[in-house]
Amino acid sequence: MKDTDVIPQYLGQSRLLRVIANYYAYAPSAVIIRTAEAELLRAMSIESPALDLCCGDGFFASIIRPQGFEAGCDINKTALEQAGRRNVYRSLVWADISKEIPFPDAYFSTVVSNSSLEHIRGIDGALKEVARVLKPGGRLYSTFASSYAKDWWPCGQQALKRYMEYQPVYNWFTLEEWNRRMEKAGLKIVSYQYYLSKTTTRLLLFLDYHFSQVYMTSDRTIARPIIKMICKIPRNILVRLWRLLFSNVRITIEGKGGGILLIAEKYNE
């Protein structure tokens, strides 16, 4: 993988860890995954005009590209309203990207997608739309859970089923399957990088299951009283705690990883 900036080896070396830990103080799993993804994506050469695909509330875009994006799109109208208040995007549009990205053909030089492609039902249509709005030679930078994350799920099959009901992952594909689907859409994978080790991925998934909204609708576990206690802890103390506990988490790794950064390029016509 070629990058424009040096990616920190560990979360503790990230200049973004503090701001991300502050934003996600009550969601420790997000502190881990978003810091790793932010460092990976901010090192990429994001050429204008750029589209933030499934942009959410715009917080992530604001830290990976402070100068902003030319456009953002999402299916969540509330998130789009929040993104609009950040002044990160020149244009924000509602879109079901599996059916249409409402921009002209060959409009963008770059499309960025963070933790979204795995959640899209109708992924083939979405990839086709990404290819359509990219200029020939334009690039898609995407981060998402790899197929290994499912293999490493730490909480049992019943818990996985409940987790999927809350946060469905439709596309837990292998690298080979992603390559096949992207080729079909008119994109070619030019580089990839796995991130977060098996141990870290299992910790991340454990925290995401037990210390997020998931458990609230399922298990009556010890996590319930623990979360009540955590919610009473001042944010600044939690920020210090997560920075201390996660500082030695390694970002990029050799071999298998729970997350994968895929860099794909639109075929020249």
Side-chain angles (χ1 to χ4, degrees), residues 72-118:
C73 66
D74 203 282
I75 200 169
N76 186 317
K77 292 182 179 179
T78 300
L80 285 173
E81 291 174 2
Q82 294 169 338
R85 293 193 286 270
R86 291 188 185 277
N87 297 318
V88 179
Y89 306 97
R90 295 181 188 174
S91 173
L92 280 168
V93 296
W94 180 93
D96 177 350
I97 68 168
S98 67
K99 298 177 181 177
E100 181 186 18
I101 298 175
F103 289 95
D105 294 357
Y107 189 81
F108 295 103
S109 296
T110 310
V111 173
V112 174
S113 169
N114 180 63
S115 284
S116 60
L117 293 185
E118 73 267 47

Side-chain angles (χ1 to χ4, degrees), residues 4-71:
T4 57
D5 296 309
V6 176
I7 299 170
Q9 291 188 0
Y10 299 94
L11 292 191
Q13 297 172 335
S14 171
R15 290 176 294 173
L16 302 175
L17 179 57
R18 181 192 291 272
V19 67
I20 292 174
N22 183 68
Y23 192 76
Y24 293 110
Y26 297 96
S29 58
V31 176
I32 298 173
I33 191 67
R34 294 293 176 260
T35 305
E37 292 166 338
E39 286 293 354
L40 287 161
L41 288 172
R42 74 189 293 269
M44 299 297 102
S45 179
I46 301 175
E47 297 184 5
S48 295
L51 169 67
D52 185 7
L53 197 72
C54 304
C55 63
D57 66 5
F59 168 74
F60 192 81
S62 71
I63 59 175
I64 67 167
R65 200 174 193 233
Q67 69 267 41
F69 281 76
E70 282 68 30

Side-chain angles (χ1 to χ4, degrees), residues 113-157:
S113 169
N114 180 63
S115 284
S116 60
L117 293 185
E118 73 267 47
H119 300 296
I120 297 170
R121 192 194 296 269
I123 186 63
D124 292 330
L127 293 176
K128 185 176 180 180
E129 277 295 285
V130 168
R132 181 185 64 78
V133 300
L134 273 174
K135 298 177 181 179
R139 287 194 164 186
L140 164 67
Y141 296 108
S142 56
T143 53
F144 47 83
S146 75
S147 59
Y148 297 117
K150 185 177 183 181
D151 297 338
W152 297 339
W153 175 257
C155 302
Q157 290 305 303

